[in-house]
Every structure is written in C-alpha cells, then in structure tokens.
Amino acid sequence: MNGKFITVEGIEGVGKSTNITYVQQLLEANGIDVVLTREPGGTPLGEAIRALLLDSQYTGMDPVCELQLMFAARAEHLAKVIRPALEQGRWVLCDRFTDATYAYQGGGRGIDTGIISRLEQLVQGDFRPDLTLLLDVPVEVGLARANNRSTPDRFEQEKVDFFERVRQAYLDMAREHDRRYRVIDASQPLESVQQQLTAVLQKMHS
Ligand code: Z5A
C-alpha cells in the first residue's frame, strides 16, 4: 500500500476533533490527498454500530459485546474505506483506531489484552498505523473540557478512575511502541499543541 495511515488518540476532551482538522489542512497544504475518517464509524454500517455503542439506553452493555461491536465496525471500515484509500496512494487520517480498543476495552473495562490482540489479528492481520498522535492531558483537564458540551454519551458517563486507566493504557502503549507513537502535550494552549503537531508532521513527510 502506498498511502500512509495516521491515527489520532487520547481520552475524552483532549481536543482530537479540534486538532484533526488542523492536521488534515497541514497535510493538504503539502499536496497530500487525505481521507479523514473516524472510529467507531466511517461507513454507513459502522456509523449505525457507533450509534448503538454511544447510546445511553445501553448503559451497562456487556464489555465483550462492546468489544466485538468495535471490531465489527472496524472490519467494515478497513474493507470499505481504509485499505482502498491506501491502495490508491491516499493518506488516511483516522480519529481513533485499535489503540482505543486497548485503552478503553482493555485498560478501562479490564478485558484481557490477549483477547483484544486475537481479534486484532483476525480483523487486521499485521496492518498497523504508520503514525499515532497521542494527545495527552490529565483526566481532570479532558473531562472539564468535555463537560462544557451537550448531554453525555454512554462513555462520557464513566467515572474519573475509568479515564485514569484509559490514559495510563495509552501512555503504556506510547512507551512500548515508541517508533510509531508521538505524544503531544495537549494541556497546552491550542497554538502550542498545533506547533507540536506541525513539528511531528514536518519530520514525517520531509
Ligand atoms: N471507543 C472505544 O471505547 N473503543 C474503540 O475501539 C473506539 C472508540 C474506536 C467515541 O469516540 C467513544 O468511543 C469514545 C471512546 C470509544 N468515548 N469516549 N470518551 P469519540 O472520539 O467520538 O468521542 P470523544 O473522545 O468523546 O471525543 P470528543 O469528546 O469529541 O473529544 P475530543 O475530540 O478529543 O475534543 P474536542 O471536541 O476537540 O475538544 C473538547 C473541547 O476542548 C472543545 O470545546 C475545544 O474547543 C476545547 N479544546 C480543545 N483543545 C484545547 C486546548 N488546547 N486548550 C483549551 N481548550 C481546548
């Protein structure tokens, strides 16, 4: 595959949505053809699964059900959007991917990472992102930013200790996969966050 696959990760309210558009514009300004997408979602079927996953009506959803819905949406997304775009030489910029499953279903819900890894192998084989941008903030900062918004979805109703485990799982993955990950200090003002992102991306396509 010729294109590059970049994922953006972090706990709730870190500023993924705010910054992913900035990253897209930066790449496009350098003549790169970018497909912006997200997980769970990114296809009609994936978006229908996303609606189920976020619906507060299903509070208390069984963690293994949740895990399998994440990978079901991902299989469709890979087949219909991600792999075809990369094969055409386009770059895919994705708001969350499998690392979110390790962080939320593994770290947050406590599902054994060996089980997640088996599903990852089934759905993706050896396919992994070329670059993962981890926007990192202390949990209280992320939650304070997110709380300024509308009605909380099923994940946003979780307690602080859930998000502490999610954040720790991300930081552990960043250490383990340090060639793929770049950790961005997203607690800084937006201008500084975007300077950090620019520095990382300039290195990538220079
Ligand atoms: N999930 C999962 O469990 N397993 C999986 O495998 C996958 C996902 C793929 C939906 O994801 C949920 O799915 C997610 C994990 C789960 N749930 N949670 N939590 P999502 O990515 O769609 O939802 P999200 O994490 O809740 O995203 P978000 O709430 O939209 O957050 P964000 O995009 O990171 O934040 P934002 O909207 O860009 O910024 C929040 C506010 O902060 C906003 O007012 C900004 O203006 C402000 N902001 C941003 N940056 C700054 C700085 N630097 N300074 C000051 N203020 C700032």
Side-chain angles (χ1 to χ4, degrees):
M1 283 186 253
N2 303 323
K4 293 214 183 296
F5 183 41
I6 302 178
T7 57
V8 183
E9 299 279 358
I11 59 164
E12 194 199 351
V14 286
K16 286 179 295 84
S17 310
T18 309
N19 287 296
I20 207 160
T21 318
Y22 176 76
V23 171
Q24 178 186 19
Q25 287 165 353
L26 212 60
L27 294 172
E28 286 176 347
N30 282 279
I32 296 167
D33 183 9
V34 181
V35 174
L36 179 62
T37 185
R38 68 173 181 181
E39 289 210 350
T43 64
L45 176 54
E47 291 293 327
I49 296 175
R50 177 188 178 92
L52 291 174
L53 278 162
L54 299 191
D55 194 335
S56 306
Q57 195 190 153
Y58 304 121
T59 296
M61 180 186 290
D62 181 79
V64 175
C65 173
E66 181 179 280
L67 173 71
Q68 294 186 91
L69 288 174
M70 293 294 176
F71 274 108
R74 185 162 300 136
E76 180 78 358
H77 195 202
L78 275 161
K80 303 277 169 64
V81 174
I82 299 175
R83 287 187 191 277
L86 294 174
E87 277 157 13
Q88 289 164 13
R90 306 177 79 191
W91 287 32
V92 178
L93 182 56
C94 193
D95 189 339
R96 298 191 183 280
F97 191 61
T98 307
D99 290 343
T101 311
Y102 281 104
Y104 282 81
Q105 283 64 55
R109 304 274 189 236
I111 294 180
D112 187 278
T113 52
I115 293 171
I116 300 175
S117 157
R118 287 207 286 282
L119 286 171
E120 180 181 40
Q121 189 61 30
L122 171 73
V123 170
Q124 299 167 221
D126 293 334
F127 178 81
R128 300 289 180 277
D130 295 294
L131 171 70
T132 296
L133 299 165
L134 173 60
L135 302 184
D136 181 56
V137 295
V139 170
E140 60 274 16
V141 175
L143 293 185
R145 287 182 188 168
N147 283 342
N148 288 331
R149 291 178 313 192
S150 55
T151 331
D153 65 35
R154 202 173 58 82
F155 285 97
E156 290 166 352
Q157 292 173 345
E158 291 293 340
K159 306 262 181 311
V160 171
D161 61 339
F162 175 87
F163 290 106
E164 292 287 4
R165 294 196 299 278
V166 172
R167 182 187 184 206
Q168 193 53 53
Y170 272 130
L171 292 172
D172 291 346
M173 283 187 280
R175 257 190 304 275
E176 191 183 339
H177 306 290
D178 59 347
R179 294 182 57 174
R180 165 163 70 91
Y181 262 84
R182 292 293 174 272
V183 181
I184 306 294
D185 179 0
S187 64
Q188 299 295 315
L190 197 53
E191 194 177 295
S192 153
V193 174
Q194 297 185 338
Q195 277 168 2
Q196 296 174 64
L197 290 166
T198 307
V200 169
L201 291 159
Q202 268 168 354
K203 270 197 201 134
M204 189 176 188
H205 58 72
S206 62

